[in-house]
Every structure is written in structure tokens, then in C-alpha cells.
Amino acid sequence: QVQFVESGGSLVQTGDSLRLSCAASGGTSSWHSMGWFRQTPGKEREFVGGISAGVGKTTYAGSAKDRFTVSRDNAKNVVYLQMNSLKPEDTATYYCAADAGTFSFFVWTAASEYMYWGQGTQVTVSS
């Protein structure tokens, strides 16, 4: 039974960069497609970007494209979200999520497609 823990959230300034990590424990993350989501109070959980198992195809939300990069290090069981050129509207709690672990070649963009979730890490971008 694999579990996931996010880390790396911080208070940063507009234009800064930040790398979030999602570490797996109790198993391996390599068989899972992984997604990053973010949520602010009163809003739905929003897909940011994700990476599939297999060849590691990546998919991004329009708000993240060209600024954020999802990658994975399967040897370390860690998935990363590299965030550049941060803006105040990026302020949110960021969550990593894993699908059922069937070695899918798809990146799911809907939260309902994911089975396992971390507890979240807070990112705050000051103006």
C-alpha cells in the first residue's frame, strides 16, 4: 500500500522558482500515472500537470504550460513539480496524486481518476 508525501512548499516572491517533491513510501510509484493538483479555499481542486507511467508522457493545464514542468525519478520514487516565474495566482495548496498503478500511458486530468493523494504542501506567492 503505497503512500505519498508532498514537500517543498514555501513563501516566495513573484517571479521566483520552486520545486515541489512527491515521495512515495511503502511501495513504488513507477507503475502509477501521477498528477499535481492545487486548491484554494472555496474552489474546486484544479489539475496542474501530470506524468504517465511507461514513457513518461507529460500533460499540463493551460495556466501551467511553459512555466511548470513535471518529471519523475523512478529510482528514488519521487515525482517533481518544477515551478518557474511564479505569480500570486499560483498561491494554493498543492497535492500530488496517483492513479491505480496499472502502468497507464495516460495522464488523467480529472481528480476523480486518482486513487491516492498526499496531504498537500502550501505555496504562497507574494506580490
Side-chain angles (χ1 to χ4, degrees):
Q1 185 177 25
V2 64
Q3 295 178 324
F4 298 91
V5 178
E6 305 95 336
S7 63
S10 183
L11 172 63
V12 297
Q13 296 180 337
T14 298
D16 283 354
S17 296
L18 199 61
R19 188 179 75 168
L20 306 183
S21 299
C22 176
S25 63
T28 178
S29 62
S30 62
W31 288 89
H32 298 266
S33 288
M34 303 292 299
W36 285 96
F37 291 79
R38 65 188 183 188
Q39 188 169 27
T40 56
K43 295 184 178 180
E44 296 288 333
R45 192 162 294 187
E46 175 190 19
F47 175 78
V48 177
I51 187 166
S52 72
V55 298
K57 175 182 179 294
T58 56
T59 299
Y60 301 95
S63 61
K65 187 178 181 180
D66 298 326
R67 295 192 300 123
F68 294 2
T69 303
V70 179
S71 62
R72 68 194 307 164
D73 185 338
N74 288 333
K76 297 180 179 179
N77 284 325
V78 177
V79 179
Y80 302 101
L81 177 64
Q82 177 68 46
M83 303 185 292
N84 299 324
S85 301
L86 284 164
K87 306 173 182 179
E89 51 262 44
D90 295 317
T91 296
T93 302
Y94 284 72
Y95 300 88
C96 70
D99 70 358
T102 57
F103 205 81
S104 175
F105 292 103
F106 296 99
V107 177
W108 320 110
T109 60
S112 60
E113 297 289 349
Y114 291 88
M115 294 186 63
Y116 308 102
W117 294 82
Q119 295 299 305
T121 186
Q122 179 66 37
V123 174
T124 302
V125 185
S126 63
S127 59

